[in-house]
Amino acid sequence: MFEYTPTKLMLPSSYYDKRRADFAVDFISLLSHTTGEWYGKSFQLMPWQEQIIRDIFGIVDKETGYRQFRTAYVEIGKKNGKSELAAAVALYLLFADGEPGAEVYSCAADINQASIVFNTAKGMVELCDDLMDIADLLPSTKRIEFDETKSFYRVLSSETKTKQGFNVSGLIFDELFAQPTRELFDTMTKFTGDARRQPLYFLITTAGKDKNSICYEVHSKAKAILDGTKIDPAFYPVVFGMDDGDDWEDEKVWLRVNPSIGTTIKLETVRAAYKLARENPADEIHFRQFRLNEWCNADVRWMPMDKWDACGEDFDISEFEGRECYAGLDLSSTTDLTALVLVFPPEGDDEKYAILPFFWLPEDVIDLRTRRDHVPYLVWKKAGVFNTTEGDIVDYSFITAFVAELSKRFVIREVAYDRYGAEKIRRDLEELGDENGFTVFPFGQGFLSMSPPTKDLLQHVLERKIRHGKHPVLDWNMRNVIADVDAAGNIKLSKKKSTERIDGAIALIMGFARAILQDGGQSKSVYDERGILFI
């Protein structure tokens, strides 16, 4: 049984109106959940949700009767039910708030994200006969209308040019952390609700990474109000997240920052995600940000080098003579490394993928790069672990000729390359492939193309199903890698953020992607047959 205690942020000039709070809670209980195992079941507020609803709708000014809180900021991890709560709030503001001509809007970084709360609200209306009798649903324009009070709820795009004329009574701002700038937030919260008695801006988000963002600014304000160092009587802060000194591996912390564990979140699901996070730095950042609501540094060290080093078995190149392989080629733009990596799929009883890398650097820049970058290029040159081409840029004709020589020793099935800015060598390689029986495969560098093989390669390293021969340049590249991780947990290597060159790592991933998808000696992606699945 939930026992309500008004927030400590209630002003002496305000009071708790239980009748209003009960009315809001009772309205929400008329709604139903719209997805999964909860579909069709009554929306019974969890304690943390009911606290929010009673505080923002029940605490009012003694003199005017208007709500004390005009902005509610709810920061909490994924799957705790913040979108469902926001949908219920939107419908209350539309149908039950008593505001004539109410204008309720959903905003986010893009229209698809903004539609998530709206679609949940629409589903709630469709499951409630009482609301269906009074509502007009216009899904094509993402709009719900309530003719009796000439009110509506609709989704907005992220464009800000035409929004200053709005008369906002309610705003649902979803995933504030994803806002690239502050422009939309400022427009919708500062210039659109002046004519309303008690507009409510309901901001929901998970922790982000960018500490120069509008979300971190609002997060900092919320934390300051909670610890008493800042005062804003109209701002209602809720932050379920990691505190300084918290141990991210402590289940007690998980339970505190995820108040819906045991209801909408299974503890076993969190434990499974934690297990992955222990093995993979990128998964750790994703776990801490989206499961524990921690503001994490965006720079993720991708490869655990102790695991990589454990795969450094020596091997004799001659044992791969006549074996089929798949190549990844990462070309330098000016004076940097060009990398070609051959990946040999397992044969027979061998379960390991073998990696054979080659690198090129322009001859004229080796001394300069050694002094400037403090990288032992001269030592590596003497050791013969990379190749040089004449001049101050890599001559791609040398690369093509080198691939031709490799084709005499190994059965190259494919050469995967970054399709951007490689037209000349693509044509040359295609001609060479026609002569030698391999195809040239353009490989995208975005999350969609890079994330699956990047995760697969790391998993193979963790399982010691890779052997790479301890090539010093490739080892250096792997150590340099910083990864980008998006909100869905997709990952790609970042040349921009990485500390030094990572060309060999990118070439490896492209070659590995084609090798792991080979079928009967012919590379064939499962995506070619069934398309890409979106989760």
Side-chain angles (χ1 to χ4, degrees):
M1 183 67 180
F2 175 69
E3 295 185 7
Y4 172 72
T5 301
T7 174
K8 295 179 180 179
L9 300 176
M10 184 171 69
L11 292 173
S13 57
S14 297
Y15 75 103
Y16 172 62
D17 188 331
K18 186 176 183 300
R19 182 188 60 81
R20 291 194 187 188
D22 287 345
F23 184 67
V25 170
D26 291 344
F27 173 86
I28 293 173
S29 70
L30 295 175
L31 306 175
S32 299
H33 291 280
T34 62
T35 57
E37 64 180 290
W38 296 89
Y39 180 84
K41 295 181 180 179
S42 175
F43 192 155
Q44 298 302 313
L45 292 165
M46 289 175 279
W48 72 271
Q49 294 174 323
E50 185 165 346
Q51 181 74 42
I52 292 172
I53 294 300
R54 289 188 176 277
D55 281 343
I56 62 176
F57 290 111
I59 295 178
V60 297
D61 183 81
K62 292 176 181 177
E63 183 176 343
T64 65
Y66 298 156
R67 289 189 290 265
Q68 175 182 323
F69 300 111
R70 306 296 178 89
T71 299
Y73 176 78
V74 181
E75 183 184 299
I76 193 170
K78 295 284 189 181
K79 305 303 180 184
N80 276 281
K82 65 180 181 297
S83 295
E84 290 79 4
L85 181 64
V89 168
L91 293 178
Y92 180 85
L93 293 172
L94 173 62
F95 292 111
D97 200 35
E99 182 75 14
E103 296 182 18
V104 184
Y105 298 93
S106 274
C107 287
D110 59 64
I111 197 164
N112 291 327
Q113 184 66 48
S115 299
I116 291 174
V117 172
F118 174 85
N119 289 336
T120 300
K122 181 174 78 72
M124 289 176 171
V125 172
E126 291 170 335
L127 291 172
C128 180
D129 291 338
D130 290 337
L131 292 183
M132 281 298 290
D133 288 341
I134 61 175
D136 289 323
L137 301 182
L138 306 171
S140 62
T141 55
K142 299 188 183 300
R143 185 179 176 106
I144 302 173
E145 295 182 349
F146 180 31
D147 286 340
E148 183 175 325
T149 60
K150 304 301 180 185
S151 301
F152 63 82
Y153 168 40
R154 59 168 290 199
V155 173
L156 292 179
S157 71
S158 58
E159 295 294 326
T160 58
K161 296 178 182 178
T162 61
K163 294 181 173 56
Q164 292 195 18
F166 291 169
N167 187 13
V168 176
S169 59
L171 173 68
I172 309 298
F173 212 121
D174 195 10
E175 295 298 21
L176 185 59
F177 84 89
Q179 283 298 306
T181 70
R182 64 179 304 131
E183 186 176 5
L184 179 61
F185 176 83
D186 284 347
T187 298
M188 294 304 297
T189 59
K190 295 181 179 179
F191 309 117
T192 57
D194 293 346
R196 298 290 180 176
R197 299 169 302 165
Q198 49 178 4
L200 179 64
Y201 306 112
F202 198 76
L203 320 176
I204 59 174
T205 191
T206 305
K209 296 176 181 177
D210 183 3
K211 294 188 176 181
N212 294 312
S213 64
I214 179 58
C215 188
Y216 191 73
E217 179 182 317
V218 180
H219 161 86
S220 299
K221 177 179 179 178
K223 295 287 285 184
I225 291 173
L226 288 169
D227 66 24
T229 59
K230 178 171 279 190
I231 297 174
D232 183 345
F235 189 96
Y236 181 79
V238 177
V239 179
F240 287 98
M242 298 267 284
D243 293 328
D244 291 342
D246 277 349
D247 180 2
W248 71 277
E249 300 183 84
D250 186 348
E251 286 196 7
K252 293 179 182 178
V253 174
W254 305 353
L255 294 169
R256 192 189 78 238
V257 303
N258 289 280
S260 301
I261 285 181
T263 305
T264 63
I265 303 174
K266 292 180 173 63
L267 182 57
E268 288 307 314
T269 301
V270 183
R271 286 172 175 160
Y274 165 73
K275 184 177 179 181
L276 293 175
R278 284 293 306 274
E279 298 175 344
N280 182 351
D283 282 333
E284 178 187 332
I285 294 298
H286 191 265
F287 179 86
R288 294 172 70 161
Q289 180 183 355
F290 293 107
R291 290 285 185 184
L292 304 184
N293 198 48
E294 179 182 8
W295 282 80
C296 297
N297 192 307
D299 294 341
V300 180
R301 239 346 127 184
W302 171 56
M303 179 58 67
M305 289 307 294
D306 59 330
K307 305 297 185 183
W308 173 259
D309 292 342
C311 296
E313 302 175 28
D314 291 322
F315 55 78
D316 188 344
I317 294 178
S318 63
E319 69 179 276
F320 297 101
E321 297 278 353
R323 285 263 301 268
E324 70 173 32
C325 61
Y326 297 80
L329 176 63
D330 190 68
L331 300 165
S332 59
S333 56
T334 52
T335 61
D336 296 319
L337 285 171
T338 287
L340 175 75
V341 178
L342 301 184
V343 180
F344 295 85
E347 278 193 1
D349 295 332
D350 185 8
E351 295 184 347
K352 297 183 179 181
Y353 288 80
I355 297 168
L356 187 57
F358 303 93
F359 296 89
W360 288 265
L361 197 66
E363 179 68 39
D364 292 354
V365 304
I366 291 178
D367 290 342
L368 174 63
R369 291 291 303 274
T370 299
R371 294 193 305 270
R372 188 188 71 186
D373 301 341
H374 306 289
V375 175
Y377 290 113
L378 286 172
V379 175
W380 287 340
K381 178 185 176 184
K382 292 177 181 178
V385 296
F386 69 82
N387 305 291
T388 60
T389 63
E390 295 180 359
D392 58 3
I393 61 173
V394 171
D395 186 342
Y396 289 164
S397 64
F398 282 85
I399 312 300
T400 306
F402 192 85
V403 174
E405 290 300 312
L406 291 177
S407 297
K408 298 175 182 178
R409 302 180 63 187
F410 314 113
V411 182
I412 300 176
R413 294 295 187 189
E414 285 188 357
V415 176
Y417 73 100
D418 179 358
R419 58 184 172 225
Y420 179 76
E423 186 62 24
K424 173 65 167 60
I425 193 170
R426 178 192 62 79
R427 293 195 301 267
D428 292 344
L429 287 173
E430 285 180 346
E431 292 178 7
L432 183 63
D434 291 340
E435 299 171 3
N436 292 273
F438 66 78
T439 58
V440 179
F441 183 84
F443 203 101
Q445 302 297 295
F447 283 112
L448 189 62
S449 298
M450 293 297 285
S451 185
T454 301
K455 291 181 175 181
D456 282 341
L457 177 61
L458 179 58
Q459 189 61 38
H460 277 69
V461 170
L462 296 175
E463 295 174 358
R464 296 190 66 171
K465 292 182 178 180
I466 295 287
R467 49 178 177 154
H468 56 72
K470 305 176 185 176
H471 193 287
V473 183
L474 182 58
D475 287 353
W476 172 63
N477 279 196
M478 300 302 282
R479 187 172 290 108
N480 292 335
V481 173
I482 296 295
D484 279 329
V485 183
D486 70 8
N490 297 310
I491 185 171
K492 67 175 182 176
L493 310 192
S494 173
K495 283 190 173 184
K496 181 178 180 181
K497 294 179 180 178
S498 296
T499 55
E500 253 292 351
R501 303 309 309 170
I502 63 170
D503 311 87
I506 291 174
L508 168 56
I509 288 172
M510 291 192 289
F512 181 76
R514 304 312 296 170
I516 201 171
L517 293 176
Q518 61 85 28
D519 180 20
Q522 297 295 323
S523 176
K524 188 174 184 181
S525 170
V526 293
Y527 309 130
D528 295 336
E529 294 183 351
R530 61 133 165 93
I532 297 169
L533 298 181
F534 292 91
I535 299 177

